Amino acid sequence: MRRSNTYVVNDSDGPEGQQADSKLRFFSRSNSEPAHCHRINLTGETEIRMDNVMTSHYLQTKGAQVATSLLQQRANDVRSNRVNWQSYLQGQMISSEDFSFISKFDTASSEVRKAILIENPSQFAKTFFNLMSQIAKDQTLQYILTMLDDVLQEDKSRVDIFKGYAKRSKESVWSPFLHLLNRDDRFIVYQTSRIIAKIACWSKESMGAEDLKFYLNWLKDQLRQPGNEYMQTAARCLQMMLRIDMYRQVFVEVDGISTIVMVLAGKVGFQIQYQLTFCLWCLTFNPDLAEKMNRYNIIPTLADILSENVKEKVSRIILAVFRNLLEKPAETETIQDHALAMVQCKVLKQLELLDSRKFDDPDIVDDILFLNENLQKSVQDLSSFDEYCSEVKSGRLEWSPVHKSERFWRENAPRLNEKNYELLKILVRLLSDSKDPLILSVSAHDLGEYVRYYPRGKNVIEQLGGKQLVMQYLSHDDPNVRFEALIAVQKLMVHNWEYLGRQLQDTTPKDAPGLVPAKA
């Protein structure tokens, strides 16, 4: 029986090595609901549930919390350094009204806080806004923000107290928080970013377009920072934001997917791999976005991680992304392209290895079975041109049989003109951007074969800028690249193919493995 698409995700940033890592777990709708879970709609019947039990994120007592990220570790220290509110009143830095509220609220139990907020919610918002704007000392501001984060986590509906107060005051609820993202103190910055994400995701009203774009751009920039010790917190905020479809669209508009893929393609730990792949998974629930995803080289990047990964939760979330890429797009052609890209990236081999392992989770077994069946089917329907398209679009060229086949080029060279020369443009881009000698060699070879078998190919390649690129590789350090560039240039210039064939037989190096000379 097909599982329900209900996913339970632990709400934590989670460092590597902690048992309280964020985990993707699958629950059928018949299972009992975990306590204190929060539902956020994805699409249709699919929901994400936030399970706060496992990490005991915010205790109702004053005891220390289980620290599952650098931010939470430091938040525990911040909570232990109580603020002397009396000194701020005596120094006339806060009003007597704000002092009366915060001194009582700070020492109150969860139940007393609840009663205070029911009795006077506006004062809660007013006092915290005043404190954030009037107090400059980092240590005190850290305490204020941590307290606010705790209070919101106790009851998610409290975010609307802030929204309602700002609306009545005709002020922006976002400005005081977005302003704090410019502080030098990194704890203040990232604790603020958590609060922004919670208000944006838990409020009845969505974040406004301008503020949303600013915040998502800010999160994207945090992921790009080399050695960012708070990257898990930035990724956690993004995980929350991308559960909302409107926010997904804007994230794509600010080129967020490219940033995620760039980070994943680098050397990052499994926790960041999990969190950022989770973000991609959220994006794939939008059918329009799922259709465009592999333009960003997502499948090759995730396939690499899958082949190297030993963590079950990372494998699980990658398989969930792959499944969505085969289920969510509306266009059959797009689904086929995704399947072929997975085949090209050796995902079938990884599925075979995963299938040999024993998993307690029946849903990862279900995903392996689904992907295996669909990818095997795509292989059966695969033509030589489909295989070639998949390889070129993946950007991972190698000397597969199609490149060496005269019959293939004779029958398919004109098809490289399809979709406004899509494949030719990719080959030219690879020649321009790649540093891999193998990719450069195969790209140059393929442009030469296209020219050889398509009568007007020379003009097309010149217009796309391919001729100039090929010629610059005549002096490349790698002998294979030089050879393929030389042959391609000859094909671009020569008219007597019989003469060229004799020349090739004389110039082909005897001891150069991987070289594939064109035949007359």
Side-chain angles (χ1 to χ4, degrees), residues 289-347:
L289 298 182
E291 292 213 0
K292 305 171 185 175
M293 293 289 275
N294 205 38
R295 298 177 189 176
Y296 300 92
N297 225 30
I298 283 173
I299 291 174
T301 302
L302 293 184
D304 283 348
I305 296 173
L306 188 65
S307 67
E308 300 166 358
N309 171 66
V310 295
K311 288 291 180 180
E312 181 179 323
K313 71 175 186 179
V314 178
S315 298
R316 181 192 292 119
I317 194 66
I318 290 174
L319 296 181
V321 173
F322 285 167
R323 180 167 192 152
N324 274 5
L325 290 176
L326 298 184
E327 283 189 322
K328 299 302 178 184
E331 296 293 330
T332 304
E333 184 179 354
T334 302
I335 293 174
Q336 179 68 0
D337 286 346
H338 288 169
L340 294 180
M342 292 176 202
V343 171
Q344 182 66 36
C345 294
K346 312 293 191 295
V347 172

Side-chain angles (χ1 to χ4, degrees), residues 383-389 391-392 400-416 423 445-446 449-450 453:
S383 68
S384 59
F385 187 72
D386 290 332
E387 181 184 348
Y388 180 76
C389 286
E391 183 181 337
V392 172
S400 55
V402 289
H403 300 281
K404 310 172 187 178
S405 168
E406 278 193 47
R407 178 180 175 182
F408 170 80
W409 287 106
R410 189 166 52 249
E411 294 176 353
N412 293 292
R415 297 195 64 184
L416 269 66
L423 295 178
H445 170 271
D446 286 4
E449 290 294 84
Y450 166 75
Y453 287 99

Side-chain angles (χ1 to χ4, degrees), residues 182-451:
N182 296 318
R183 298 279 294 218
D184 292 331
D185 185 279
R186 305 312 290 164
F187 179 88
I188 289 174
V189 168
Y190 283 95
Q191 189 69 287
T192 300
S193 73
R194 280 173 57 90
I195 295 170
I196 293 172
K198 288 174 179 178
I199 297 175
C201 294
W202 297 344
S203 175
K204 295 174 183 175
E205 294 182 7
S206 299
M207 198 173 189
E210 187 175 340
D211 292 324
L212 175 62
K213 197 168 186 178
F214 175 87
Y215 180 55
L216 290 176
N217 260 314
W218 182 86
L219 285 177
K220 181 188 73 172
D221 292 342
Q222 305 317 298
L223 297 179
R224 287 179 173 269
Q225 283 186 10
N228 183 359
E229 59 182 356
Y230 285 103
M231 186 182 286
Q232 287 182 17
T233 299
R236 183 73 194 93
C237 293
L238 196 56
Q239 284 179 272
M240 293 182 66
M241 295 295 288
L242 295 181
R243 295 184 176 107
I244 297 175
D245 195 51
M246 188 192 93
Y247 298 168
R248 296 176 198 153
Q249 299 278 2
V250 178
F251 184 69
V252 174
E253 290 171 13
V254 300
D255 200 28
I257 296 180
S258 295
T259 296
I260 289 179
V261 173
M262 179 201 75
V263 176
L264 287 174
K267 297 295 182 183
V268 292
F270 73 82
Q271 181 63 26
I272 294 298
Q273 287 178 340
Y274 170 80
Q275 289 181 269
L276 294 185
T277 305
F278 182 98
C279 292
L280 296 177
W281 176 67
C282 289
L283 292 169
T284 60
F285 280 93
N286 181 303
D288 292 335
L289 298 182
E291 292 213 0
K292 305 171 185 175
M293 293 289 275
N294 205 38
R295 298 177 189 176
Y296 300 92
N297 225 30
I298 283 173
I299 291 174
T301 302
L302 293 184
D304 283 348
I305 296 173
L306 188 65
S307 67
E308 300 166 358
N309 171 66
V310 295
K311 288 291 180 180
E312 181 179 323
K313 71 175 186 179
V314 178
S315 298
R316 181 192 292 119
I317 194 66
I318 290 174
L319 296 181
V321 173
F322 285 167
R323 180 167 192 152
N324 274 5
L325 290 176
L326 298 184
E327 283 189 322
K328 299 302 178 184
E331 296 293 330
T332 304
E333 184 179 354
T334 302
I335 293 174
Q336 179 68 0
D337 286 346
H338 288 169
L340 294 180
M342 292 176 202
V343 171
Q344 182 66 36
C345 294
K346 312 293 191 295
V347 172
L348 274 171
K349 179 182 177 182
Q350 296 308 315
L351 292 174
E352 183 180 345
L353 294 174
L354 288 170
D355 196 34
S356 64
R357 292 165 56 183
K358 291 184 178 180
F359 295 101
D360 295 331
D361 185 350
D363 294 295
I364 191 171
V365 177
D366 186 45
D367 279 345
I368 292 171
L369 179 63
F370 173 88
L371 290 168
N372 231 325
E373 289 178 352
N374 282 270
L375 296 188
Q376 291 289 0
K377 182 180 178 183
S378 71
V379 170
Q380 292 171 6
D381 299 336
L382 187 64
S383 68
S384 59
F385 187 72
D386 290 332
E387 181 184 348
Y388 180 76
C389 286
S390 175
E391 183 181 337
V392 172
K393 289 178 181 178
S394 76
R396 302 184 172 201
L397 301 184
E398 55 188 42
W399 289 117
S400 55
V402 289
H403 300 281
K404 310 172 187 178
S405 168
E406 278 193 47
R407 178 180 175 182
F408 170 80
W409 287 106
R410 189 166 52 249
E411 294 176 353
N412 293 292
R415 297 195 64 184
L416 269 66
N417 301 332
E418 294 175 1
K419 297 182 180 179
N420 194 27
Y421 306 104
E422 178 186 26
L423 295 178
L424 290 174
K425 289 177 179 177
I426 294 174
L427 290 172
V428 171
R429 177 175 57 78
L430 291 174
L431 276 177
S432 173
D433 299 344
S434 180
K435 305 298 181 186
D436 187 331
L438 176 60
I439 292 175
L440 295 176
S441 298
V442 180
S443 298
H445 170 271
D446 286 4
L447 291 183
E449 290 294 84
Y450 166 75
V451 168

